[in-house]
Amino acid sequence: MNWIESEQACGRFDIVIAFIYQSSSVTAAYLADLDWPENVHVICNAFWDFRIDAPSAKDTTFARVKQSGSVSLTAMSGPHRDQIQDATGCRFAAIPNPPPLVSDARFYELLRAAALDKAERYQRLAPTVFLPGLQSAGKGKEITEDFVASSACKEMAARILVRDRQHLLSEEQPATQLGNLRYLIDSFSDSEIIGFYRQADVAALPYTSDVFGVRTSGALVDCMMSGVVPVVFPGTWLAHICTQFDFGIVCAGQTAAAMSDGINAALADLPAQRHRIFFAAIRYMSENSWGRFLELLLEQGGQGPALEAVRETSWSFLETARKAEVILLEGGADLPTLSADSERWRLVSELFENPFEYMMAEQPETR
């Protein structure tokens, strides 16, 4: 609230909507007890509520948020929404999951380019398998460790790239001893990560159901954008999306051997798999674009005459009249760094035909 007041957002805009992605029902309940200005609405995504124990059904936290007029809670996915409802009796809206690294327009540009690039690569280069995970719990560190040490990996007719920024797996070995395996051990920019996906044909995402049963994965969306065939584990949100939109390979189990079999199945059928993922990406984006995401934020922003006036106008209200400001926050650490030249601000501005020049002029520069 102090940050919103320091930005004088309440005086500059009829509506201020703050969305916090890495949030929880506990945070939302705490914020719901605060005294918010009438034109501010805070939306907390239930990122840390991906495990809901049975006692939560008797917890009043979710119900308190449900009754709040200033604070809303969103579920990460359709399965997450259903899980919360089953456990607590409260039903919340599920957010769309747009591409995390690019705008809607850029997504389609890269999708089209990938369709052409992959067809050319298939004719002249050995395939590449990319493992982009390992940075947090539930992303299959032990499974990946078993896989890269296995004979199945060493005998695979493909180059294998493993992103291992924190040196969780890689060892100091000469490249000549690694065979078809390469570790990516540095930090990379968004554009460099997109480049790795564009080089790949298959991506192994051994995310496990204990963490990713309802939790979403931007890596899966990156696969669609880049024409990369994902290999995923059953019982996860990733498998749910692959089944719903008919693309990728869902493994038979959550083991290194099952992942190897899934990768080989994808490699054996690359042209057909690429064809499926191209059309799946278009269908997915029809439901999960940044435009749909912003529509949901406005829907969650409460009732009240000011918001109703915003809803009745076209999207051009953001550039012709200072009717609303939408603030997208990854978490509390974003507050000191949010500015007009930030990547997140660019993602929002690219949804519209023209940049918000007058807004950008008013934002402080980040040094």
Side-chain angles (χ1 to χ4, degrees), residues 49-61:
D49 292 294
F50 59 87
R51 292 176 181 164
I52 302 178
D53 299 324
S56 295
K58 299 179 181 179
D59 191 351
T60 61
T61 301

Side-chain angles (χ1 to χ4, degrees), residues 106-117 198 225 278:
R106 183 61 174 153
F107 180 94
Y108 286 112
E109 289 176 7
L110 291 171
L111 177 64
R112 180 179 180 276
L116 300 175
D117 291 346
R198 294 189 68 175
M225 173 182 72
F278 181 84

